[in-house]
Amino acid sequence: MSDSVLSGQAWRDFCGRLADAGEIILQPAAPATPLDRAEGWRYLSRLARIALEMNVEFADPDFPVFYAASDTTRKIGADNPDNIYLNATVAGDRDYRIIGTRGSIAYFSIGSKANRYHIDGTMASTGEIEDRELMVDPDGTVEIIASSTAKPGNWLPLASDSSMIIIRQSYLDRSTEVPGSYRIEQIGGPAAPGPLDADALALGLQRAGNFVYGTARIFAEWAKKFSARPNELPDYGQDFFQRAGGDPRIFYCHGYYELAPDEAWVIETEVPDCPYWNFQLNNWWMESLDYRHHRITVNKHTAQLNADGTATLVVSARDPGFGNWIQTDGHRSGTALLRWVEAAHHPIPRCRVVKLPAAGTTA
């Protein structure tokens, strides 16, 4: 593959794969409004940033580094606005040490994955540690060993095809909680990396281009699937989401909204006993909407419950004057997600569309 680096073909192929991904943005099923189309092109640019970090900058399993695959401006597959995501590239035949501090953030999880987004859009779980299982030292520090053979203490299993470790940290209250900090190192690995290998660079560019195309394609397929049942939050079957890298401790209710400017999507649900839950609104490309500046999500801490302990969520362009209002932020359609985390049972919400009261009046 080094010949393709010398000739420039590796770069041309990478750029060509990005061009192929553009056809996903132009597909007839996707909304063709200026907002949705602009978000689609931005989405590809964001995926390219993630793909290059994942497959070029931080792709060496001998020298893993935690990087953010999703944050306020890089978003994949209904990323959680309450989450801090940390990813690291690993290999299943090596041992790793993860050292950090737990902090006071509400929820922590760590899992090893077989990342095949650049191949077939799947990301199977190969090992998990639950928050309640995590052993934390009295001073708040944490050490986790990731390996294929069992180790005492905090052990994260790796399989032969494990290629990624993902840490999820979920806020309930950003104003008071402190997230943990983590670093990762290979145990018994080389002391320093060698010069950049041309073959590795060519392979990384190939995988990066395929990641952009494959990720855009798989979540466009999800959006099309959800759009067949507008303004619902059904259970599509949890295996469907686990294959794409979902946390096995989370029950996912994905949905799709389609509203006129004078309509509201009313979601009424029981709220199970669980350490964390949230509801969020996304665009058609399954990116969370702008949670830095708009109220597009609520969680266990921020939601106001009804007297009977149920929750009423209202998705609309303007404040309806009742329930927990979720702003559409200029969108007429898009996707949505309700998560129940480590809940004993998983309520399926009741959904309906109603007319908004006239502006200036109360519901």
Side-chain angles (χ1 to χ4, degrees), residues 229-277:
R229 299 179 65 174
N231 305 316
E232 295 184 40
L233 286 169
D235 176 12
Y236 284 98
Q238 297 304 299
D239 287 347
F240 180 75
F241 307 122
Q242 303 305 335
R243 287 195 298 273
D247 189 327
R249 292 173 293 272
I250 300 177
F251 187 92
Y252 298 91
C253 288
H254 281 274
Y256 188 89
Y257 61 96
E258 192 169 34
L259 299 168
D262 64 344
E263 290 181 330
W265 180 24
V266 179
I267 302 161
E268 297 168 308
T269 184
E270 300 173 49
V271 177
D273 182 22
C274 58
Y276 174 86
W277 68 268

Side-chain angles (χ1 to χ4, degrees), residues 96-175:
Y96 299 91
R97 179 181 294 107
I98 299 162
I99 301 169
T101 57
R102 172 63 179 81
S104 62
I105 200 165
Y107 184 79
F108 167 94
S109 70
I110 184 170
S112 62
K113 308 289 181 180
N115 180 15
R116 296 172 59 89
Y117 267 38
H118 62 288
I119 300 173
D120 59 10
T122 63
M123 189 184 295
S125 172
T126 56
E128 305 285 340
I129 296 178
E130 297 187 19
D131 197 5
R132 61 175 173 263
E133 297 173 344
L134 188 70
M135 290 179 279
V136 181
D137 292 339
D139 63 357
T141 59
V142 174
E143 180 173 307
I144 300 167
I145 301 298
S147 62
S148 60
T149 57
K151 298 290 191 287
N154 294 309
W155 173 55
L156 178 65
L158 298 180
S160 60
D161 58 348
S162 296
S163 57
M164 179 180 291
I165 289 174
I166 299 179
I167 292 177
R168 291 179 173 93
Q169 301 181 81
S170 302
Y171 284 103
L172 285 177
D173 183 359
R174 283 182 177 269
S175 67

Side-chain angles (χ1 to χ4, degrees), residues 64-101:
V65 175
F66 279 122
Y67 62 93
S70 290
D71 56 23
T72 56
T73 62
R74 290 175 292 187
K75 307 186 177 198
I76 299 178
D79 57 290
N80 188 341
D82 290 330
N83 272 13
I84 297 174
Y85 294 94
L86 298 173
N87 291 39
T89 299
V90 297
D93 61 352
R94 294 160 213 187
D95 294 354
Y96 299 91
R97 179 181 294 107
I98 299 162
I99 301 169
T101 57

Side-chain angles (χ1 to χ4, degrees), residues 215-238:
T215 302
R217 180 188 60 80
I218 191 67
F219 289 116
E221 292 297 323
W222 283 28
K224 286 191 285 187
K225 178 183 180 70
F226 303 151
S227 69
R229 299 179 65 174
N231 305 316
E232 295 184 40
L233 286 169
D235 176 12
Y236 284 98
Q238 297 304 299

